[in-house]
Amino acid sequence: MIRLWAIAWHIARRDLSVRIRGLRLLAICLFLGVATLAAIGSLTAGIATELSNRGQSLLGGDVEVETAQRMASAEELSAFRSMGQLSETVRLCAMAIGGPDKDSLLAELKAIDNAYPFYGTLTLSDGLTVKAPAKGQIYIGPTLSERLNIRAGGTVRFGEATFTVAGIIGKEPDRLGEGFTLGPVAIISLASLPDTKLIQPGSLFQAKYRIKLPRSADPAATVKAIESRFPSAGFEITDRSNGAPGTRRFIERMGQFLTLVGLAALVIAGIGVGNGVGSYLESKRTSIATLKVTGADSAMIFRIFMIQIMAVAAIAIWAGLMTGSIAPQAIGLVIGDLLPVPAGFSIYPVPLLVSAVYGVLIAVAFALPPLARARTIPAAGLFRAVSDIKARADKRSMIGITAAIAAIIALAISTAREPLFSAGFIAAAFTLLLILTAIAYALRWVAMRLPRPKRPLLRLALANLHRPGAQTQALVVALGLGLTLFTTLATIQTSINNETRPKRPRTRP
Amino acid sequence: MAIRASNVTLTLGAKDAPVQILRGVDLSVLYGSSIALLGPSGSGKSSLMAVLAGLEQATSGTVEVAGMDFGAMNEDELARARRGRIGVVLQAFHLLPTMTALENVAIPMELAGMSDAFQDAERELNVVGLGHRVDHYPSQLSGGEQQRVAIARAMAAMPKIIFADEPTGNLDSETGAGIIDLLFTRRAELNATLLIITHDPELAKRCDRIVTMQNGVIVEQTA
Ligand SMILES: Nc1ncnc2c1ncn2[C@@H]1O[C@H](COP(=O)(O)OP(=O)(O)OP(=O)(O)O)[C@@H](O)[C@H]1O
Ligand SMILES: [Mg+2]
């Protein structure tokens, strides 16, 4: 057996080395498919890793307890203090009024204490690292500074208190952990908050209590302890493993959308592989018959061309993995500002491995049918032009094709964030393929029965739709799939856009 | 007997429109003899050769070649049976365009699992007078040279039986004569059986026997 493969390898290599051209379509489609998958996988893994690496600074602590419309009670505070160091912030929406024109703008007022931030740094636009501003002073975000035309040294009023701008905020460490905000941020010290008189019974605000745990303490256990001690306090408790739940949800949505793109890329790659291999082997008809005349049996033909196809596939997959693995960096360079965090610079083996496996399975599943046809090309074909080939694949090839497709589906479902969603997509894709094939058949059937037009060009065109070996089917399926995928992606893109765009209330609450 | 065929028929084409190509052919060929196969175009010469060379399965009748019952074999078994035993030379040369002369000649021996395929191939190319062109691709060779490579490919494994279907059909008469000389010399050296299809009565006379076909049957045999 090994000897037979060795013989096949010798012949395959010589035949291929001269011109790899014939398998270009296979190489391009596999490369694109694998590169897309690897890029998507690496990017999502990179962002997810970065998010959890930065969990502490995103959250501003190891554990965060959030209350809405009320401050923590003294009993609660002392419980938090007993667990570690405590930092307290209060956040609310308020009108900022100031600047030369006494303009007003809805802003996010954030009051911090002196412990803030436990992780990361609060920096001003001039690079200075600062703690909470002094009483009566304020740091404002660049947007606020621009819109109200206030610079450092100017004043801005929140509620009943007027603050002197002590600096423009450069970086707020827990920005992502705060989730979507309604307006630009302004930071004051907790001590200044009562002066604004904005905290009234019934006013909308959130207080966040960040706890910095001793090294040895387990954040999850701390969360449990707080929950069991204050079961009806209405706390929203998060630990550092999930520093930015909103952002994480966004990334997950995004990942799902990208998975769709990936699956679509796979289907397209598969069609490309099938067509590429098909036309390559078609161009090899005479060579295959010649090999048979000189003593190759159909298994040897299969081996020779399987080796060629897999060799080209391996190169394409490898190149795809290379490209995909550096994609996060490339994407970061181009649209880095749009990403919540830069994807960490490293190679993520799991998504790369998954992409490679997909590539191999796609290559096998879609190359096997034309290969199975090629092995039936008769030796006697050299003696005559027309030779009937059996269209049906042999049993072993059928088993191989089925196994590869099953493996692809299993992989797609098992690696999906939402398996049901992926399963649904695959089922829909299958149905679509069936419908398109049926349409193609119908088209051929109609073309065959239509009366022959008088115009030669028309007659030729019509005949081309149903002559033996016509590409009608492949074309209809490819076009239909392409169009459907395109519309699907556009639709999803729109709905994602709508969902992620913050819904700004028209009027102030 | 190198070849023993009796009552061979071959029917091809679709089921609803079958074409009877061979209609009961009987032919016996002694080891080491040479046979010329003549007949008008479409009479079934190539088809008969395909059946005798194990490239096509007969529809009915018995075909025994080199002691093997071709009728009992499937396509793949026939392919393996050809290895090292049967050499085929065709009108259109049919070299693999992606391989050099040497690699083309080595193929049948590699497929037969012979260890010295490339040495034997080089030796055979020297014999046919192309020792200096071993690394040339078919596209770099003239028609006559390509046919020499094809002959080397058919002969290198020293087969018992050689089939040649109009081997000079694509060549001018001078080049063709050289090819025929080579074919006959080499066959004599190897003491191989030769079955050659031709339209040239002069060439046919060089063979031990002449068999004429018409409409799917043998109509005349002369020694
Ligand atoms: N696949 C096929 N289906 C139907 N008929 C075929 C097929 N192949 C060949 N034929 C027919 O079989 C007959 C014999 O063909 P064959 O090639 O054996 O003739 P030939 O004697 O070699 O002719 P030539 O001298 O032109 O080479 C021809 O009439 C041909 O049209
Ligand atoms: Mg012929």
Side-chain angles (χ1 to χ4, degrees):
Chain A
M1 194 65 194
I2 291 171
R3 207 176 53 90
L4 290 176
W5 279 98
I7 293 170
W9 162 252
H10 280 293
I11 296 173
R13 196 191 34 145
R14 293 205 308 263
D15 183 46
L16 195 62
S17 58
V18 182
R19 41 176 186 183
I20 207 158
R21 237 183 311 155
L23 285 168
R24 213 164 19 183
L25 184 59
L26 162 83
I28 291 172
C29 290
L30 260 189
F31 167 78
L32 287 179
V34 171
T36 310
L37 285 173
I40 292 169
S42 298
L43 186 66
T44 338
I47 292 177
T49 312
E50 198 62 15
L51 276 179
S52 60
N53 282 350
R54 293 186 181 196
Q56 285 178 326
S57 64
L58 292 175
L59 194 65
D62 296 307
V63 171
E64 177 189 275
V65 182
E66 184 179 329
T67 61
Q69 273 100 269
R70 73 172 182 92
M71 302 288 209
S73 66
E75 187 200 350
E76 288 161 352
L77 282 177
S78 75
F80 300 159
R81 286 213 178 81
S82 74
M83 294 164 174
Q85 298 174 58
L86 185 70
S87 163
E88 190 181 349
T89 67
V90 174
R91 213 164 66 114
L92 68 152
C93 255
M95 263 317 169
I97 302 163
D101 306 324
K102 291 277 169 275
D103 279 336
S104 63
L105 184 67
L106 193 65
E108 196 84 18
L109 186 64
K110 179 166 168 175
I112 59 175
D113 63 7
N114 258 322
Y116 174 94
F118 281 141
Y119 301 102
T121 52
L122 173 63
T123 40
L124 300 181
S125 57
D126 55 12
L128 211 64
T129 300
V130 291
K131 283 289 187 184
K135 199 166 180 328
Q137 290 195 338
I138 192 167
Y139 304 138
I140 59 174
T143 321
L144 195 59
S145 156
E146 252 164 57
R147 298 279 283 277
L148 295 187
N149 200 7
I150 314 170
R151 258 158 265 279
T155 59
V156 61
R157 190 154 67 81
F158 274 97
E160 299 190 3
T162 302
F163 297 95
T164 309
V165 176
I168 311 296
I169 300 166
K171 196 176 140 237
E172 185 190 357
D174 52 349
R175 172 73 271 158
L176 281 172
E178 301 279 23
F180 286 115
T181 53
L182 294 179
V185 73
I187 295 178
I188 56 170
S189 85
L190 212 49
S192 309
L193 191 59
D195 298 347
T196 63
K197 304 236 163 60
L198 287 170
I199 302 292
Q200 305 283 346
S203 60
L204 289 166
F205 69 91
Q206 293 117 41
K208 286 180 176 173
Y209 301 90
R210 274 89 177 247
I211 305 168
K212 182 180 181 178
L213 297 174
R215 250 175 204 289
S216 55
D218 173 21
T222 312
V223 171
K224 279 226 177 69
I226 298 171
E227 272 168 352
S228 60
R229 175 138 180 224
F230 305 104
S232 53
F235 290 150
E236 201 177 297
I237 313 174
T238 328
D239 69 34
R240 66 175 177 227
S241 66
N242 189 15
T247 311
R248 187 170 292 266
R249 259 195 306 281
F250 168 75
I251 292 296
E252 263 156 28
R253 277 281 148 68
M254 194 72 191
Q256 211 173 75
F257 169 64
L258 291 176
T259 307
L260 262 184
V261 176
L263 287 173
L266 268 181
V267 174
I268 289 172
I271 290 174
V273 168
N275 285 346
V277 171
S279 57
Y280 174 71
L281 291 177
E282 195 55 41
S283 77
K284 287 280 181 188
R285 281 189 80 89
T286 320
S287 294
I288 290 170
T290 305
L291 282 166
K292 282 203 165 174
V293 168
T294 52
D297 55 14
S298 55
M300 185 54 79
I301 297 294
F302 176 82
R303 281 184 214 109
I304 290 171
F305 289 96
M306 188 69 176
I307 287 173
Q308 289 191 352
I309 289 160
M310 284 303 137
V312 173
I315 294 168
I317 290 171
W318 181 81
L321 291 181
M322 286 298 153
T323 312
S325 66
I326 59 161
Q329 271 65 53
I331 292 170
L333 281 181
V334 182
I335 55 151
D337 296 347
L338 295 182
L339 297 177
V341 290
F345 183 89
S346 65
I347 302 288
Y348 299 94
V350 175
L352 291 187
L353 187 72
V354 170
S355 312
V357 172
Y358 267 130
V360 172
L361 288 175
I362 284 286
V364 170
F366 287 85
L368 272 180
L371 259 174
R373 251 178 287 133
R375 63 187 286 168
T376 67
I377 290 174
L382 288 190
F383 284 86
R384 57 176 120 263
V386 195
S387 52
D388 22 39
I389 46 165
K390 294 159 218 148
R392 279 189 83 107
D394 54 307
K395 207 162 136 204
R396 268 166 75 184
S397 300
M398 278 315 287
I399 293 172
I401 295 163
T402 315
I405 290 177
I408 291 169
I409 294 174
L411 190 61
I413 293 177
S414 64
T415 56
R417 255 169 254 273
E418 287 178 32
L420 224 67
F421 173 81
S422 285
F425 176 84
I426 291 166
F430 254 111
T431 318
L432 184 68
L433 261 167
L434 282 182
I435 293 173
L436 287 171
T437 313
I439 291 176
Y441 263 114
L443 203 65
R444 278 180 82 151
W445 190 86
V446 169
M448 207 136 61
R449 272 150 193 84
L450 237 48
R452 298 189 145 222
K454 287 226 165 58
R455 296 250 305 275
L457 201 66
L458 255 171
R459 199 166 55 223
L460 207 66
L462 202 63
N464 256 333
L465 285 177
H466 63 76
R467 73 184 157 80
Q471 292 289 305
T472 314
Q473 208 142 314
L475 252 173
V476 169
V477 171
L479 275 178
L481 264 184
L483 258 173
T484 314
L485 287 173
F486 189 73
T487 8
T488 313
L489 292 185
T491 314
I492 295 168
Q493 174 74 63
T494 319
S495 68
I496 282 196
N497 278 351
N498 288 341
E499 201 163 322
T500 51
R501 190 174 296 136
K503 292 168 187 84
R504 234 171 253 267
R506 289 250 165 84
T507 48
R508 199 178 147 194
Chain B
M1 277 301 166
I3 299 171
R4 201 203 312 267
S6 70
N7 204 18
V8 171
T9 72
L10 178 67
T11 307
L12 289 177
K15 272 203 192 76
D16 46 347
V19 187
Q20 262 223 312
I21 294 166
L22 299 180
R23 310 156 175 267
V25 175
D26 298 294
L27 183 69
S28 293
V29 180
L30 286 171
Y31 270 119
S33 65
S34 59
I35 309 269
L37 200 53
L38 265 73
S41 185
S43 58
K45 305 181 294 294
S46 297
S47 302
L48 177 61
M49 183 171 278
V51 169
L52 298 181
L55 302 171
E56 183 100 74
Q57 286 168 283
T59 309
S60 71
T62 55
V63 180
E64 219 183 280
V65 179
M68 294 176 294
D69 180 6
F70 276 12
M73 297 184 183
N74 66 25
E75 235 195 298
D76 284 332
E77 288 163 342
L78 287 172
R80 292 190 283 269
R82 286 196 290 277
R83 294 175 186 164
R85 296 190 187 92
I86 290 172
V88 179
V89 181
L90 299 167
Q91 180 175 342
F93 324 138
H94 285 302
L95 300 178
L96 296 175
T98 53
M99 294 191 196
T100 63
L102 184 69
E103 290 168 342
N104 264 289
V105 175
I107 286 270
M109 292 179 286
E110 284 180 278
L111 287 172
M114 298 182 189
S115 49
D116 300 325
F118 278 84
Q119 278 161 21
D120 291 348
E122 192 160 3
R123 183 210 67 220
E124 196 63 32
L125 277 170
N126 275 315
V127 171
V128 301
L130 286 175
H132 58 298
R133 320 275 322 243
V134 289
D135 290 329
H136 285 70
Y137 286 93
S139 57
Q140 300 167 314
L141 300 171
S142 73
E145 286 166 339
Q146 288 188 52
Q147 194 61 304
R148 279 169 192 272
V149 175
I151 289 172
R153 179 177 65 188
M155 304 278 194
M158 304 195 189
K160 281 272 177 316
I161 308 169
I162 292 154
F163 294 95
D165 189 350
E166 295 184 48
T168 60
N170 281 9
L171 304 171
D172 62 74
S173 54
E174 203 177 321
T175 316
I179 291 293
I180 293 301
D181 283 341
L182 175 65
L183 204 55
F184 275 85
T185 323
R186 216 33 210 140
R187 155 196 121 71
E189 283 165 10
L190 296 177
N191 194 25
T193 313
L194 173 70
L195 188 79
I196 185 168
I197 295 176
T198 180
H199 285 293
D200 178 1
E202 287 306 309
L203 164 57
K205 277 183 201 145
R206 291 178 66 168
C207 295
D208 302 333
R209 245 167 90 199
I210 298 175
V211 171
T212 310
M213 282 190 81
Q214 199 149 35
N215 209 6
V217 286
I218 290 172
V219 291
E220 198 189 331
Q221 300 203 30
T222 51

